């Protein structure tokens, strides 16, 4: 499929600036459409905004905390005017289920601003990535990628996930021997990047210590996420315009990532023997076959690989950092987990997710509580209604941007007792459907099974071998996340001590 067809199937008219007359027509058409959406949505409660910019100024900074406050003030369905973009935010499993499960067809599309000027990320990849696509193109791509992330495939890759966990332990052993405090965050990012690259390209990135190139990739991904979550220029300008939607740095970040990934694709192709191994090869093998069949373009191949790297790396890395902070601030839980793991796994055996995931209940409780308290994908990725629809008694217009307020769903008294405390045992009683860190509905996270395996394996291996300690025990570590596409854990200095018998 060529990129123009993909762009068009995603609702974008790429020739819209060709004549002044058609530009005028588009502006009139867009204004009419915006008026209709605003009129229908005007009955939905929400914070008052300023003319033109709407609520954009109110939600600067930690947007997830603002949305939690608005949920308290306005209820589970509230409206935000983000410039000219009509946004409706849904909070709590009951309302998310009503929308994303009971009306899945109306809510599953990604938000695409019609007729926007093609100078943002989606234009760089012509809507041919997995995250930005809609319709049949997305459906086919998703089934190709999901077939590579099944429980059976993940089980086969478990040995590599354990190897990465052990490499992380080797690094920590060095730090433990030095006896000095150090910042842990980037090590977790490197861990998750390495695993994604193994799944994608089957490559084994050197894990000696943080080198310049891996640090660059980590930093570029984080910066890219940060810039991605900033408001777009077209949020303010309701009509097509010739300005880039994002600052130049955004495009620079994408190009850097694209350069790394292009090199990896080319290396894989050079070393690919014959027709390739569709059954046992890494994800890139399946994608190259799709390229050969003409189902994706070259640009699409690159976009998909970049998106899998960014979607899979920072989310897992941040989750592990938050879980370590929680373990440090709750030493009794850390100790109980250590004792439980010790009792369940023989000293000379590695932790294995497929073997132990159902037999060490306390570990699953800790992992669930980590996902609850620190939902990395704080506000999910924007969706869009494709019909007018009534949710929670409110009519939401077709074309409205829909946000899943995952953070507030996980952190509000309306749904949880003592939501700001880390209490793994709560899941002995609580229905786990209340937990939706991977979002709700058919368009939810594509890497959830892999993420669960990575997070569980890393926590088990690290806690078996090390005690994580606060260098300044009088002051609990800060665990408040910063807003980005993936919630960012504070840069955290900590100490590690080796456990009596190292098991890696
Ligand atoms: C703790 C780890 C993770 C969390 C909390 C997380 C969370 C999320 C959330 C909230 C969404 C948005 C879903 C929606 O819009 O409805 C999402 C989408 C996505 N995630 Fe994850 N994710 C994690 C790990 C991963 C991993 C490891 C991968 C890669 C293999 C991945 C790949 C994706 C992709 C490709 C999408 C877009 C799916 C689509 O548009 O169809 N994620 N994730």
């Amino acid at each position: 499929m060529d990129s123009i067809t993909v762009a068009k199937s995603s609702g974008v008219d790429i020739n819209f600036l060709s004549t002044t007359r058609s530009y005028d027509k588009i502006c009139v058409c867009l204004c009419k459409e915006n008026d209709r959406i605003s009129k229908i949505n005007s009955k939905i409660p929400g914070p008052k905004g300023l003319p033109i910019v709407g609520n954009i100024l109110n939600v600067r900074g930690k947007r997830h905390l603002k949305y939690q406050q608005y949920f308290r003030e306005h209820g589970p369905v509230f409206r935000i005017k983000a410039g000219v973009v009509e946004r409706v935010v849904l909070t709590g499993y009951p309302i998310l289920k009503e929308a994303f499960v009971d009306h899945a067809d109306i809510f599953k599309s990604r938000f695409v601003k019609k007729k926007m000027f093609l100078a943002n990320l989606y234009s760089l990849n012509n809507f041919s990535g997995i995250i930005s696509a809609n319709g049949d193109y997305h459906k086919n791509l998703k089934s190709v990628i999901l077939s590579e992330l099944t429980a059976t495939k993940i089980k086969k890759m478990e040995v590599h996930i354990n190897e990465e966990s052990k490499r992380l332990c080797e690094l920590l052993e060095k730090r433990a021997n030095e006896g000095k405090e150090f910042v842990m965050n980037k090590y977790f990012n490197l861990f998750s990047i390495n695993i994604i690259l193994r799944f994608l390209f089957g490559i084994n990135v050197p894990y000696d210590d943080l080198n310049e190139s891996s640090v660059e990739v980590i930093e570029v991904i984080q910066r890219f996420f940060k810039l991605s979550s900033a408001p777009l220029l077209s949020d303010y300008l309701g009509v097509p315009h010739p300005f880039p939607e994002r600052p130049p740095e955004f495009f620079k970040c994408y190009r850097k990532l694209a350069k790394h990934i292009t090199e990896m694709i080319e290396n894989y192709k050079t070393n690919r023997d014959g027709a390739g191994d569709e059954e046992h090869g890494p994800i890139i093998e399946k994608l190259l076959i799709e390229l050969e069949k003409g189902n994706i373009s070259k640009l699409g191949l690159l976009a998909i690989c970049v998106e899998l790297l960014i979607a899979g790396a920072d989310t897992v890395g941040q989750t592990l950092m938050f879980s370590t902070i929680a373990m440090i601030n709750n030493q009794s839980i850390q100790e109980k987990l250590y004792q439980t793991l010790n009792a369940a796994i023989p000293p000379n055996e590695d932790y294995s997710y497929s073997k132990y995931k159902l037999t060490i209940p306390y570990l699953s409780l800790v992992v669930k509580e980590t996902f609850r308290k620190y939902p990395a994908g704080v506000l999910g990725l924007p969706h869009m209604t494709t019909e007018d629809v009534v949710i929670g008694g409110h009519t939401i217009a077709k074309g409205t941007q829909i946000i899943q307020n995952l953070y507030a769903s996980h952190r509000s008294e309306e749904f949880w007792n003592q939501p700001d405390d880390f209490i793994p045992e709560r899941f002995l009683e609580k229905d786990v459907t209340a937990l939706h860190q991977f979002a709700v509905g058919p368009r939810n996270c594509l890497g959830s099974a892999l993420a669960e395996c990575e997070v569980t394996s890393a926590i088990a291996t690290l806690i078996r071998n090390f005690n994580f300690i606060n260098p300044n025990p009088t002051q609990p570590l800060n665990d408040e996340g910063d807003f980005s596409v993936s919630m960012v854990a504070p840069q955290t200095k900590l100490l590690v001590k080796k456990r009596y018998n190292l098991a890696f």
Side-chain angles (χ1 to χ4, degrees), residues 110 138 311-312 315 319 381 383 404 406 437-439 443 445 447 451:
R110 279 273 169 257
H138 173 264
T315 43
T319 304
L381 296 165
H383 288 239
Q404 302 201 25
L406 304 178
Q437 72 281 3
F438 298 118
R443 188 81 198 241
C445 177

Side-chain angles (χ1 to χ4, degrees), residues 70-141:
Y70 292 153
F71 156 63
R72 288 183 182 133
E73 290 166 5
H74 304 286
V77 182
F78 66 84
R79 172 196 186 209
I80 292 279
K81 285 275 287 174
V84 291
V85 173
E86 279 282 340
R87 179 177 297 162
V88 166
V89 182
L90 305 178
T91 313
Y93 187 71
I95 213 79
L96 288 169
K97 179 185 167 287
E98 187 182 337
F100 287 87
V101 178
D102 302 345
H103 295 87
D105 278 350
I106 298 179
F107 281 85
K108 70 174 184 238
S109 285
R110 279 273 169 257
F111 180 66
V112 176
K113 262 183 286 181
K114 282 196 188 148
K115 320 278 195 290
M116 68 183 164
F117 188 74
L118 291 180
N120 68 8
L121 169 64
Y122 296 169
S123 71
L124 286 175
N125 63 37
N126 272 325
F127 292 83
S128 55
I130 171 88
I131 294 179
S132 51
N134 278 328
D136 285 346
Y137 180 77
H138 173 264
K139 201 169 146 199
N140 296 338
L141 209 48

